[in-house]
């Protein structure tokens, strides 16, 4: 397989960055920089609203990682986000998001 | 020339990205600004579960070593705002609440004013192995790499509490770290222990892992170590200890991290428990590390099966190995004993005479007779998986 040149350059740049992406010490201060990872969700009705709402508290790989949940399972997850963690979403938001998650990341019948 | 600018380093990074695409695991993941997905102070090949907050899993081959290196140890945070910068001149460990005298301790205080305690202990996430639960359960989909064996060094909690003086009538001690939720409504990650538990000799506030400082992602500058108990109690980037006059009832104790209140902490798959209690001591586990599942082995070639075993604070007495899918079991040889909180390595010589598919199983027994079940025990949060693991190898 032939690797495109631009990909090689990107990967080489990535390697150089890798060594710097460790802990830095400045006097008595220790600092790290987290990698900028921006996972996205699969296309579907409600994707944008789901991404916007869920991203407030956690990256979207939290969603893609889950097993295929039933509608009841996804409803319970969304309700937990509202009732326990205070996700600022309207009833309509919740409906759209539960639908999206059930269709795109739900259990196939 | 940069040392990482090598063919090997290049291939490794390329491997991470291609593997992700092939497996479809990270096909929805975009690394912006062309930066690779590597977390500070961590190996490139850790398995990325989630990025914000980070959850990283250790690949099994690292467990061929008795001690898990700092840069290979798994990472698990609960709240998105994790500490990424700590000034040791500013950071203080505060002890307050129902005490005679509030304390504010610096790192130098911890290192110079208290006796140091050091031991090796397994750190294991409550949900280690959750992805193998059937029926499946939501949560971090860990395989078996949400654990490690680390030599911790620090200060005994009981010495610090003695310095503050626990007032009569105190019930629990609560532990809070520097991490916070992204919204004020998100319950802060605070864990609690009963006063009796907190005063046990071996609970320490660790400022060292494997002889060095803690890595930032594993809880720099200090974390609580509750050896023998699941890592949910091992609060990272600890900065506040509060003695409670009554039971602490925060979300992460009262609602989350709970198990069915019975001897096996289990209920029928898919059901709901009647009564729950906070998760606590780890059960007995063993894993087969080498050969790996699916590996090919040559007929008649002497080989050695290797793995690890541990339990929640009781030493491992025996590890029994079966190479015939559980029909017969023989004792494995145990490796170096690093104390009752450490895992022990086990070794089993094997020379398969006939070609074919073999199922290898391992089962550990601890000093109080606790062992592992043949079938998975189920609970709705996917905690405490410890069934006898099986691997298959092809001999030919």
């Amino acid at each position: 397989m032939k690797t495109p040149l631009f990909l090689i350059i990107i990967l080489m740049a990535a390697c150089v960055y890798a060594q710097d992406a460790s802990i830095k010490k400045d006097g008595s201060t220790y600092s790290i920089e987290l990698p900028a990872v921006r996972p996205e969700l699969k296309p579907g009705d409600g994707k944008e609203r789901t991404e916007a709402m869920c991203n407030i508290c956690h990256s979207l790989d939290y969603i893609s990682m889950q097993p295929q949940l039933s509608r009841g399972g996804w409803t319970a997850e969304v309700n937990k986000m509202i009732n326990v963690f205070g996700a600022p979403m309207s009833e309509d938001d919740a409906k759209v998001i539960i639908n999206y998650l059930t269709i795109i990341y739900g259990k196939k019948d | 020339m940069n040392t990482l600018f090598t063919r090997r380093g290049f291939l490794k990074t390329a491997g991470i990205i291609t593997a992700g695409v092939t497996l479809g695991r990270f096909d929805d993941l975009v690394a912006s600004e062309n930066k690779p997905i590597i977390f500070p102070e961590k190996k490139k090949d850790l398995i990325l579960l989630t990025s914000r907050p980070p959850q990283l899993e250790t690949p099994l081959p690292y467990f061929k070593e008795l001690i898990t290196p700092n840069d290979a140890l798994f990472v698990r945070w609960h709240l998105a705002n994790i500490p990424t910068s700590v000034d040791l001149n500013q950071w203080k460990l505060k002890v307050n609440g129902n005490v005679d005298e509030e304390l504010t301790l610096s790192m130098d205080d911890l290192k110079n004013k208290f006796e140091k305690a050091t031991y090796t202990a397994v750190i294991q996430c409550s949900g280690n192995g959750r992805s193998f639960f059937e029926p499946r359960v939501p949560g971090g989909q860990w395989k078996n790499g949400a654990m490690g064996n680390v030599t911790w060094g620090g200060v005994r909690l009981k010495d610090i509490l003695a310095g503050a003086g626990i007032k009569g009538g105190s019930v629990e001690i609560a532990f809070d770290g520097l991490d916070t939720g992204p919204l004020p409504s998100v319950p802060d990650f605070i864990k609690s222990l009963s006063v009796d538990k907190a005063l046990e000799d071996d609970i320490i506030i660790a400022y060292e892992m494997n002889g060095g400082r803690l890595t930032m992602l594993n809880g720099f500058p200090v974390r609580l170590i509750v050896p023998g108990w699941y890592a949910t109690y091992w609060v990272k980037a600890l900065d506040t200890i509060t003695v409670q006059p009554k039971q602490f009832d925060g979300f992460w104790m009262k609602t989350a991290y709970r198990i069915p209140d019975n001897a096996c902490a289990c209920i029928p798959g898919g059901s709901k428990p009647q009564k729950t209690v906070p998760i606590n001591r780890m059960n007995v586990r063993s894993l087969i590390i080498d050969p790996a599942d699916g590996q090919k082995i040559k007929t008649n070639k002497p080989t050695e099966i290797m793995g690890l075993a541990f339990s929640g604070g009781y030493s491992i007495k025996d590890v029994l190995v079966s190479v015939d899918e559980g029909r017969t079991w023989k004792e494995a040889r145990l490796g170096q004993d690093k104390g009752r909180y450490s895992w022990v390595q086990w070794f089993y010589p094997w020379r398969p005479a006939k070609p074919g598919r073999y199922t290898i199983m391992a089962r550990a027994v601890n000093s109080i007779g606790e062992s592992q079940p043949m079938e998975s025990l189920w609970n709705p949060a996917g905690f405490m998986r410890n069934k006898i693991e099986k691997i298959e190898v092809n001999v030919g």
Side-chain angles (χ1 to χ4, degrees), chain B residues 128-189:
Chain B
N128 195 24
R130 179 181 289 124
S131 66
F132 302 120
F133 267 61
E134 200 56 55
R136 297 283 302 270
V137 295
Q141 298 299 307
W142 303 100
K143 290 181 235 163
N144 285 324
M147 62 176 197
N149 198 38
V150 173
T151 302
W152 307 97
V155 178
R156 287 187 188 86
L157 176 61
K158 67 167 191 178
D159 291 349
I160 288 177
L161 291 172
I166 298 176
K167 278 189 177 162
S170 299
V171 176
E172 287 201 327
I173 318 279
F175 303 89
D176 189 8
L178 296 171
D179 52 335
T180 58
L183 296 172
S185 54
V186 172
D188 199 1
F189 188 74

Side-chain angles (χ1 to χ4, degrees), chain A residues 53-58 62 66 75-89, chain B residues 53 76-81 139 179-190 250-253 255-257:
Chain A
M53 197 54 69
C54 301
N55 247 333
I56 297 173
C57 286
H58 60 79
Y62 265 78
Q66 298 306 326
T75 305
E77 291 303 310
V78 171
N79 284 340
K80 183 168 90 177
M81 299 308 154
I82 299 168
N83 299 327
V84 174
F85 297 106
M89 63 174 98
Chain B
R76 194 274 188 261
W77 290 88
H78 299 80
L79 309 177
N81 297 335
D179 52 335
T180 58
L183 296 172
S185 54
V186 172
D188 199 1
F189 188 74
I190 301 173
F251 169 76
W252 301 100
M253 288 302 299
T255 311
Y257 283 107

Side-chain angles (χ1 to χ4, degrees), chain B residues 17 21 56 58 68 71 74 95 123 182 197 210 220 279 284 317 319 327-328 368:
Chain B
I17 293 166
V21 173
L56 309 170
T58 308
T68 312
D71 57 6
F74 80 99
V95 185
I123 175 169
K197 179 69 189 172
N210 295 330
F220 182 82
I279 196 169
V284 180
K317 208 180 90 205
V319 175
R327 280 186 286 278
T328 58
I368 55 168

Side-chain angles (χ1 to χ4, degrees), chain B residues 101-137:
Chain B
E101 188 193 346
E102 293 196 353
L103 300 181
T104 305
L105 303 166
S106 68
M107 182 62 92
D108 285 343
D109 292 336
L110 293 179
K111 287 184 173 171
N112 302 326
K113 293 185 179 167
F114 297 90
E115 189 193 345
K116 185 177 175 185
T118 305
Y119 52 76
T120 300
V122 172
I123 175 169
Q124 182 185 216
C125 180
S126 312
N128 195 24
R130 179 181 289 124
S131 66
F132 302 120
F133 267 61
E134 200 56 55
R136 297 283 302 270
V137 295

Side-chain angles (χ1 to χ4, degrees), chain B residues 243-363:
Chain B
V243 180
Q244 307 276 342
K246 58 185 173 60
Q247 201 161 348
F248 175 75
D249 65 353
F251 169 76
W252 301 100
M253 288 302 299
K254 194 181 154 194
T255 311
Y257 283 107
R258 296 182 73 95
I259 54 172
D261 185 14
N262 58 36
C264 67
C266 69
I267 52 173
S271 64
K272 286 202 173 92
Q274 298 284 318
K275 194 167 171 254
T276 62
V277 291
I279 196 169
N280 47 82
R281 193 167 67 86
M282 293 194 287
N283 53 21
V284 180
R285 283 202 86 176
S286 62
L287 286 183
I288 302 159
I289 303 300
D290 194 21
D293 193 21
Q295 197 171 314
K296 289 197 175 81
I297 289 175
K298 286 211 171 88
T299 313
N300 258 322
K301 191 188 168 212
T303 175
E304 188 173 57
I305 304 170
M306 175 266 160
L308 58 87
F310 61 93
S311 87
Y314 295 90
S315 37
I316 293 297
K317 208 180 90 205
D318 270 323
V319 175
L320 302 167
V321 174
S322 172
V323 292
D324 56 8
E325 208 174 350
R327 280 186 286 278
T328 58
W329 296 83
K330 281 185 194 154
E331 276 182 28
R333 174 177 65 84
L334 300 184
Q336 189 190 350
D337 177 7
K338 291 195 69 87
R340 63 199 177 102
Y341 299 121
S342 170
W343 70 41
V344 65
Q345 295 181 309
W346 54 261
F347 305 91
Y348 185 86
W350 188 41
R351 186 172 175 170
K354 284 184 218 159
R357 254 170 113 86
Y358 287 77
T359 298
I360 305 173
M361 302 164 77
R363 171 176 175 257

